[in-house]
Amino acid sequence: MEKPAPPPGLTWKKKAYSVIFEADTPAGRNFDIGLLWAIVLSVLVVMLESVRSINAQYGPYLRIVEWIFTSLFLLEYLARLVVVRRPLTYAFSLLGIIDFLAIAPTLVSLVLSGSQYLIVIRTLRLLRVFRIFKLGRFVGEGEFIVRALKASRFKILVFLTAVLTLVIVIGTLMYVVEGGKNGFTSIPKSIYWAIVTLTTVGYGDISPVTVLGQTLASVLMILGYAIIAVPTGIVSAQMATPSTPSPSYKQVICHVCQATEHRPEAEFCWRCGEKL
């Protein structure tokens, strides 16, 4: 995820930018770690507030703590808008929207009761941990899995189409066999049962009673175990196929044009020529 560029000129804004947006300095690292702890604790407060026994005894205190956290996040969000070069660009970026959503639920709760529980959206901000603790190497492994899934997408699509056809056919047959009774009151309800049975979830809220229906259910259960292995095998085979390793890039973002993927030996941005 790209970071916004710091504003030109003002020294204090550049220093504040390095603390708030960069994790390469001790101050920036400590700031982000403290922010993560605040996010975790604020989400924990919301979870505790949803427990009736705890809310009945400590509800007012928990709400005070939540407003303290919201105030801190509001100040942090405003600080980010102040120190960036283009505030609107940051505000409508992915990280900017997530930062805004971290404070919005509490403010909306003043009008709509119960909306404060949407504060768990703040957990999305924990994704910053990949930047803070230098876990960028795991992103490459994630991209490897994504490439395997993308290369197998047509095979998986054909597989899902076959499964969908199977549950529609068997669900319809079960509706006919059970005669619209024993929970199989409609074809969509029977298809729901077929999906639950084929995936081996088996809620048990609907079950066939007739001998023919139980036989059909047994066949579907056995098919479920056989089908589970198919998508796993497709993706595993694709992952085992040799592929060209991805080139390594310098973990630097150009402060002018936001370009990434600079070669390790690069000293200037490949897009705008700015010194890295």
Side-chain angles (χ1 to χ4, degrees):
M1 290 177 280
E2 296 183 354
K3 295 178 293 185
L10 299 176
T11 304
W12 71 269
K13 283 191 175 183
K14 290 183 178 180
K15 291 182 178 179
Y17 177 90
S18 66
V19 172
I20 296 175
F21 285 99
E22 301 288 350
D24 296 331
T25 62
R29 182 183 177 90
N30 292 334
F31 175 83
D32 281 350
I33 292 176
L35 179 62
L36 289 182
W37 274 109
I39 294 169
V40 172
L41 292 176
S42 66
V43 172
L44 179 61
V45 168
V46 175
M47 291 181 178
L48 292 176
E49 189 179 354
S50 66
V51 180
R52 291 187 178 181
S53 58
I54 296 178
N55 190 23
Q57 188 172 0
Y58 302 103
Y61 302 103
L62 293 175
R63 280 186 282 276
I64 291 174
V65 173
E66 174 48 40
W67 273 106
I68 292 174
F69 278 122
T70 298
S71 300
L72 292 175
F73 291 135
L74 178 59
L75 291 174
E76 179 239 348
Y77 178 71
L78 294 176
R80 291 179 183 273
L81 292 178
V82 169
V83 302
V84 297
R85 180 181 299 177
R86 299 182 178 89
L88 288 179
T89 301
Y90 168 73
F92 290 100
S93 66
L94 178 59
L95 284 179
I97 293 173
I98 291 175
D99 289 344
F100 176 75
L101 290 177
I103 59 177
T106 304
L107 301 178
V108 174
S109 67
L110 294 174
V111 181
L112 299 177
S113 177
S115 60
Q116 68 272 18
Y117 297 118
L118 295 177
I119 292 173
V120 293
I121 293 174
R122 286 178 182 165
T123 53
L124 292 176
R125 302 185 70 186
L126 294 175
L127 294 176
R128 295 178 186 270
V129 74
F130 283 92
R131 176 168 58 88
I132 297 168
F133 294 110
K134 304 297 184 182
L135 300 183
R137 59 185 178 275
F138 291 113
V139 175
E141 301 301 327
E143 291 176 350
F144 172 71
I145 296 177
V146 170
R147 287 196 300 270
L149 291 173
K150 187 175 181 180
S152 307
R153 63 186 183 279
F154 294 114
K155 296 177 183 177
I156 295 176
L157 181 61
V158 171
F159 166 75
L160 291 177
T161 302
V163 171
L164 182 62
T165 303
L166 180 64
V167 296
I168 290 175
V169 171
I170 293 184
T172 304
L173 286 176
M174 187 60 72
Y175 173 74
V176 174
V177 169
E178 293 295 318
K181 301 178 181 178
N182 305 319
F184 299 90
T185 55
S186 64
I187 292 179
K189 199 70 177 288
S190 301
I191 292 175
Y192 155 78
W193 167 86
I195 294 173
V196 171
T197 304
L198 187 67
T199 55
T200 70
V201 176
Y203 291 126
D205 53 342
I206 304 175
S207 58
V209 175
T210 64
V211 175
L212 185 57
Q214 291 175 343
T215 302
L216 187 59
S218 300
V219 173
L220 189 61
M221 293 174 195
I222 295 174
L223 283 176
Y225 281 105
I227 287 177
I228 286 176
V230 175
T232 305
I234 292 174
V235 178
S236 298
Q238 187 62 45
M239 293 175 66
T241 303
S243 58
T244 304
S246 300
S248 59
Y249 296 110
K250 181 181 293 188
Q251 297 297 319
V252 174
I253 298 177
C254 177
H255 283 188
V256 175
C257 68
Q258 308 296 300
T260 57
E261 298 184 353
H262 299 95
R263 300 295 299 178
E265 67 277 4
E267 297 183 5
F268 298 90
C269 175
W270 60 267
R271 178 182 292 171
C272 67
E274 180 72 15
K275 186 174 177 60
L276 299 176

